[in-house]
Amino acid sequence: MDNSTGIVTTKYVDFDVELRLESGRLLGPLTLAYETYGKLNQDASNVILVAHAWTGNAHAAGLHTEEDRKPGWWDNMIGPGKVLDTDRYYILCSNTIGSCKGSTGPTSINPRTQRPYRLSFPVLMVRDMVRAQKLLLDHLGIKSLLSIVGGSMGAMQAIEWAIHFPEMVRSIVPIAGTGRTSPMAISLNALARQAVFNDPLWKKGNYQPEHPPADGLALARAVGHISFLSDVSMQLKFERRFSVRDGMFDFFGKFEIERYLDYNGKNFVDQFDTNSFLYLAKALDLYDVTWNFDSLSEALERINCPSLWFAFSSDWLYTPQQTEELVTELQRLNKTADYHLIDSDYGHDSFLVEPEKYIPLLKTFLDQLD
Amino acid sequence: MDNSTGIVTTKYVDFDVELRLESGRLLGPLTLAYETYGKLNQDASNVILVAHAWTGNAHAAGLHTEEDRKPGWWDNMIGPGKVLDTDRYYILCSNTIGSCKGSTGPTSINPRTQRPYRLSFPVLMVRDMVRAQKLLLDHLGIKSLLSIVGGSMGAMQAIEWAIHFPEMVRSIVPIAGTGRTSPMAISLNALARQAVFNDPLWKKGNYQPEHPPADGLALARAVGHISFLSDVSMQLKFERRFSVRDGMFDFFGKFEIERYLDYNGKNFVDQFDTNSFLYLAKALDLYDVTWNFDSLSEALERINCPSLWFAFSSDWLYTPQQTEELVTELQRLNKTADYHLIDSDYGHDSFLVEPEKYIPLLKTFLDQLD
């Protein structure tokens, strides 16, 4: 496995802190799950933070065991000789708080009650996730980030890092991001929420982990799935093909696209906790780079590093216009902000499906930072 | 009320027939609900059929009683001096079969069992709706239609009319239509279906009418509602405003767009039957102008009247490209097909929200037919 990071292990670190959140509530103690790939250099100047999306996790590259069938979620980006080159960079990926993949979230034990938080978990903003990551970097003795690279919710984290810890951040690469989620994006998450709320098994978040609101979560995931695709990508993959197993005039007969959404929705139920899904959806909805600032320019004025932005032509969830709004304002403020609109048919998912379309641009950008 | 059609009444006619459907099943006897506005001229040459959309009905214009707060659904189009001028034209609008607004549908009594059809109702195609309308025109002694005008599912009906009864049709005006629903449109309807299927009150269609699957239907309607809007129209109307009644950090706190979708979804439950909603959604999904033809050109070759097509720039449900595919093929076949892409921010709903943008073009077209 020449270009693989090989066998990797998720690490966990506990912080005996009470993190003050944007909501005013305190959260702690905290556990953060993270993985690293490559070697930290002597002056700790080669760190790239990879920030994951909504349902992502710390396992960005490599395999956990030799038997793993799938590598980490961004394995095509991270490894020896790849664009996030583990021969040069020390790559760090940590699971965000609010998630269910090792960091503190709604499934964690609330120390005050000794029972899982569930809905007693505080509503988070992306800014809170970044503050928690800062604890991890302090713990690891890392004082500077060569770059922060992330797509979707990862892009939001990159932006927040550059605004709130400008002294630590030497560049950011927000991919398929937004400065604030649109009412369209919020309304899709509202459907997902309602799908869960309608499921009698949800029990206002007090479901038993072994009996999650599977129908509701599967439907919620299907909503998300659609928003990650595009009209064209669905056409390319499914056309109007009807399932060969169904009669076209059966009331319950399905098109292939329906079977696909069903299948993926149901699979997701075993992979993700429902409450975590909802808390992270809420964080996405609340995301607004101008939160607690008077204006967009006041927020972006704080960024003092070069930034590289990618948006995708068919992304109707976080549209190119949303990225362009940020880039235009940064350029107006005389900041170094490079922007590339990537032509791709794969909707919001383009950043995962066609990385080859932006990898060369990313490589050039990172090379110039060294 | 100078420019109103005034007080109108829905009429009903029963047909003792067995209509053979595209599925091969028979449906009958049939009841059709319809309204008419204006006067039939002596040679019955001034008939314009108005075809309604998914959840529409026969009540296209005027008031049912003096106390009605709202006129028919296309009252701004139909009346004395309006574009569908009741001083000149005899306007006819009939409720499609499969609906719950007076024509035979899943809520009707199945004559074989003396109980409501519910899921024993056959799956319909738009073509079947048109065949049923043909019975009504025969009954009324109408042998020729000056035009068929309709938006969305109404556009599909107009197209089917021109293909299957070309000898009767002197023009069609499909608005915000499509020649076949896309996988994106199907996938959104799939969400709506699943929202209902997930509701325990649905009981595989055997809910009591007074206890419909309200949560499921409300969510299903919200899915539809989103697909009728656009990113820009939501931004214009709601921005990212948070409900003043909720705390932003309340887990159940809502953005204004969420409240709006909720409110409209819940309202809809009292207005429409769940099974009818699902049957009509199915008909939309199955809609394909090429069904039972070898090709698009074979289907469109049958059209021998002029056609006028409107699509809307922000319509992401039935995109302009879908209309353009049909118009391009018609023009290739040397048919008279006029096409106008209307610039509007209101998504699929544009045809209802901004009719003033196409009314003058429609008027010119209709004037030329006389």
Side-chain angles (χ1 to χ4, degrees):
Chain A
M1 296 207 297
D2 266 343
N3 63 349
S4 167
T5 49
I7 302 298
V8 297
T9 307
T10 307
K11 287 160 266 191
Y12 302 87
V13 55
D14 300 319
F15 298 94
D16 189 19
V17 293
E18 298 222 293
L19 188 69
R20 182 166 295 279
L21 305 171
E22 289 295 325
S23 63
R25 287 181 62 182
L26 298 170
L27 182 65
L30 287 180
T31 300
L32 291 182
Y34 69 101
E35 295 193 4
T36 60
Y37 322 104
K39 288 209 175 83
L40 189 63
N41 64 6
Q42 214 156 13
D43 57 353
S45 65
N46 68 335
V47 183
I48 293 180
L49 180 66
V50 163
H52 70 71
W54 190 354
T55 59
N57 54 47
H59 183 39
L63 301 171
H64 280 160
T65 69
E66 295 284 1
E67 289 72 37
D68 274 3
R69 293 193 311 177
K70 274 184 155 184
W73 59 269
W74 233 8
D75 195 75
N76 51 1
M77 298 282 284
I78 303 167
K82 297 182 188 172
V83 61
L84 301 176
D85 188 347
T86 49
D87 290 337
R88 293 169 67 186
Y89 306 122
Y90 184 63
I91 311 288
L92 172 66
C93 181
S94 85
N95 186 222
T96 66
I97 55 170
S99 180
C100 54
K101 298 294 186 179
S103 294
T104 300
T107 58
S108 305
I109 299 297
N110 180 343
R112 286 157 198 81
T113 64
Q114 294 304 318
R115 303 174 61 188
Y117 278 105
R118 300 196 178 99
L119 295 205
S120 73
F121 197 77
V123 166
L124 299 178
M125 293 189 86
V126 173
R127 204 164 288 181
D128 299 316
M129 300 174 188
V130 166
R131 291 223 176 84
Q133 284 170 344
K134 170 69 162 56
L135 295 174
L136 176 62
L137 293 182
D138 290 347
H139 167 78
L140 296 172
I142 295 166
K143 294 187 170 54
S144 161
L145 291 167
L146 180 62
S147 198
I148 303 159
V149 184
S152 196
M153 190 176 85
M156 298 173 183
Q157 293 168 65
I159 299 167
E160 294 297 297
W161 261 105
I163 290 175
H164 295 282
F165 302 103
E167 68 287 357
M168 282 186 67
V169 179
R170 288 160 59 201
S171 79
I172 57 169
V173 185
I175 305 173
T178 177
R180 46 191 164 209
T181 43
S182 68
M184 174 63 89
I186 292 168
S187 71
L188 292 164
N189 281 351
L191 296 180
R193 266 189 283 284
Q194 199 59 50
V196 171
F197 296 170
N198 281 357
D199 191 325
L201 288 182
W202 186 59
K203 300 174 183 171
K204 291 223 165 183
N206 291 311
Y207 53 87
Q208 291 305 305
E210 62 275 19
H211 293 112
D215 291 344
L217 183 58
L219 177 54
R221 180 57 170 181
V223 175
H225 212 115
I226 289 173
S227 73
F228 305 152
L229 303 176
S230 79
D231 195 43
V232 174
S233 69
M234 287 190 196
Q235 187 65 41
L236 290 171
K237 187 159 182 173
F238 302 103
E239 296 172 332
R240 287 178 48 85
R241 280 194 305 277
F242 211 78
S243 168
V244 291
R245 286 179 286 181
D246 296 340
M248 205 182 97
F249 293 108
D250 293 351
F251 181 81
F252 292 101
K254 284 185 159 73
F255 285 84
E256 284 289 348
I257 177 70
E258 295 186 72
R259 287 223 171 276
Y260 171 81
L261 291 170
D262 258 23
Y263 176 83
N264 281 285
K266 287 188 176 120
N267 257 357
F268 183 69
V269 173
D270 299 326
Q271 294 163 24
F272 217 83
D273 171 63
T274 306
N275 289 338
S276 278
F277 184 80
L278 296 173
Y279 272 91
L280 294 174
K282 195 83 185 166
L284 295 170
D285 290 350
L286 293 181
Y287 183 63
D288 184 344
V289 65
T290 69
W291 171 246
N292 273 348
F293 291 106
D294 285 337
S295 67
L296 183 60
S297 78
E298 196 200 1
L300 297 185
E301 182 58 74
R302 295 173 57 95
I303 297 181
N304 63 20
C305 66
S307 54
L308 173 66
W309 305 74
F310 297 112
F312 298 87
S313 56
S314 58
D315 186 348
W316 60 283
L317 186 64
Y318 301 164
T319 62
Q321 290 75 12
Q322 291 170 35
T323 292
E324 286 157 18
E325 184 192 14
L326 300 177
V327 172
T328 302
E329 185 61 19
L330 282 167
Q331 290 171 345
R332 203 186 63 81
L333 294 167
N334 291 315
K335 311 281 182 183
T336 304
D338 290 340
Y339 168 65
H340 298 276
L341 175 59
I342 307 293
D343 190 44
S344 173
D345 288 332
Y346 293 94
H348 188 61
D349 267 350
S350 296
F351 82 97
L352 295 169
V353 179
E354 299 198 311
E356 67 277 12
K357 290 197 170 168
Y358 62 86
I359 281 175
L361 296 158
L362 173 56
K363 186 172 184 334
T364 304
F365 178 81
L366 293 176
D367 284 347
Q368 287 167 349
L369 298 171
D370 271 347
Chain B
M1 295 205 299
D2 266 341
N3 63 349
S4 167
T5 49
I7 303 297
V8 297
T9 308
T10 307
K11 288 160 266 190
Y12 301 86
V13 55
D14 299 319
F15 298 95
D16 189 18
V17 294
E18 297 223 294
L19 187 69
R20 182 166 294 280
L21 305 172
E22 289 295 325
S23 64
R25 287 181 62 180
L26 298 170
L27 181 65
L30 286 181
T31 300
L32 291 182
Y34 70 102
E35 295 193 3
T36 60
Y37 321 103
K39 289 210 174 82
L40 190 62
N41 65 8
Q42 213 156 16
D43 57 353
S45 66
N46 68 334
V47 184
I48 293 179
L49 180 66
V50 164
H52 70 71
W54 191 354
T55 59
N57 53 48
H59 184 39
L63 301 171
H64 280 161
T65 69
E66 296 285 0
E67 290 71 38
D68 274 3
R69 293 191 312 175
K70 273 183 154 184
W73 58 269
W74 233 8
D75 194 75
N76 52 0
M77 298 281 285
I78 302 166
K82 297 182 189 172
V83 61
L84 300 176
D85 188 348
T86 48
D87 290 338
R88 293 169 67 185
Y89 307 121
Y90 184 62
I91 310 289
L92 173 67
C93 180
S94 86
N95 186 223
T96 66
I97 55 171
S99 181
C100 54
K101 298 295 185 180
S103 294
T104 300
T107 59
S108 305
I109 298 298
N110 180 343
R112 286 155 200 82
T113 64
Q114 295 305 318
R115 302 174 61 188
Y117 277 105
R118 299 198 178 98
L119 295 205
S120 73
F121 197 76
V123 167
L124 299 178
M125 293 190 86
V126 173
R127 204 164 288 179
D128 299 316
M129 300 174 189
V130 166
R131 290 222 176 84
Q133 283 170 344
K134 170 70 161 59
L135 295 174
L136 177 62
L137 292 181
D138 290 348
H139 167 79
L140 297 173
I142 295 166
K143 293 188 170 54
S144 160
L145 290 168
L146 180 62
S147 198
I148 304 159
V149 184
S152 196
M153 191 176 85
M156 297 173 184
Q157 293 169 64
I159 299 167
E160 293 298 298
W161 261 105
I163 290 175
H164 295 282
F165 303 103
E167 68 287 356
M168 283 185 67
V169 179
R170 289 160 59 201
S171 79
I172 57 170
V173 185
I175 304 173
T178 178
R180 48 191 161 209
T181 42
S182 67
M184 174 64 87
I186 293 168
S187 71
L188 292 164
N189 281 351
L191 296 180
R193 266 190 283 285
Q194 199 59 50
V196 172
F197 295 171
N198 282 357
D199 190 325
L201 288 181
W202 186 58
K203 299 172 183 174
K204 291 223 166 184
N206 291 312
Y207 52 86
Q208 290 307 306
E210 61 275 21
H211 293 112
D215 291 345
L217 183 59
L219 178 54
R221 180 57 170 182
V223 175
H225 211 115
I226 289 174
S227 73
F228 305 152
L229 303 177
S230 79
D231 194 41
V232 174
S233 69
M234 288 190 196
Q235 186 66 42
L236 289 172
K237 188 158 182 174
F238 302 103
E239 296 173 334
R240 286 178 48 84
R241 280 194 303 277
F242 211 79
S243 168
V244 291
R245 286 180 285 181
D246 297 339
M248 207 183 97
F249 294 107
D250 294 351
F251 182 81
F252 292 101
K254 284 184 159 73
F255 286 84
E256 284 291 346
I257 176 70
E258 295 187 71
R259 286 224 170 273
Y260 172 80
L261 291 170
D262 257 23
Y263 176 82
N264 281 285
K266 287 187 177 120
N267 257 357
F268 183 68
V269 172
D270 299 326
Q271 296 164 23
F272 218 83
D273 171 63
T274 306
N275 289 338
S276 277
F277 184 81
L278 296 173
Y279 272 90
L280 295 174
K282 195 82 185 167
L284 295 171
D285 290 349
L286 292 180
Y287 183 62
D288 184 346
V289 66
T290 70
W291 171 246
N292 272 348
F293 291 105
D294 284 337
S295 66
L296 183 60
S297 78
E298 196 199 3
L300 297 185
E301 183 57 73
R302 296 172 58 94
I303 297 180
N304 62 21
C305 66
S307 53
L308 174 65
W309 305 74
F310 297 111
F312 299 87
S313 56
S314 58
D315 186 349
W316 61 283
L317 186 65
Y318 301 164
T319 63
Q321 290 75 14
Q322 292 170 35
T323 291
E324 287 158 18
E325 184 192 14
L326 299 177
V327 172
T328 302
E329 185 61 19
L330 282 167
Q331 291 171 344
R332 203 187 63 81
L333 295 167
N334 292 315
K335 311 281 183 183
T336 304
D338 290 338
Y339 168 64
H340 298 276
L341 175 59
I342 307 292
D343 190 43
S344 174
D345 288 334
Y346 293 94
H348 189 60
D349 267 351
S350 296
F351 82 96
L352 295 169
V353 181
E354 298 197 311
E356 67 277 12
K357 288 196 170 169
Y358 61 85
I359 281 176
L361 296 158
L362 173 56
K363 186 172 184 336
T364 304
F365 178 82
L366 293 176
D367 284 347
Q368 287 166 352
L369 297 172
D370 271 346

Coordinates of all heavy atoms in Angstrom, one line a residue, chain A residues 103 201 266:
Chain A
S103 N -16.3 11.9 20.1 CA -16.2 13.1 20.8 C -17.5 13.3 21.6 O -18.6 12.7 21.3 CB -16.0 14.3 19.9 OG -14.7 14.2 19.3
L201 N -41.1 6.2 17.7 CA -39.9 5.6 18.5 C -39.0 6.7 18.9 O -38.1 6.4 19.7 CB -39.2 4.6 17.6 CG -39.9 3.2 17.4 CD1 -39.0 2.3 16.5 CD2 -40.3 2.6 18.7
K266 N -31.8 3.5 5.2 CA -31.9 2.4 6.2 C -30.5 2.0 6.7 O -30.3 1.8 7.8 CB -32.6 1.2 5.6 CG -34.1 1.5 5.5 CD -34.9 0.3 5.0 CE -36.4 0.7 5.1 NZ -37.1 0.5 3.7

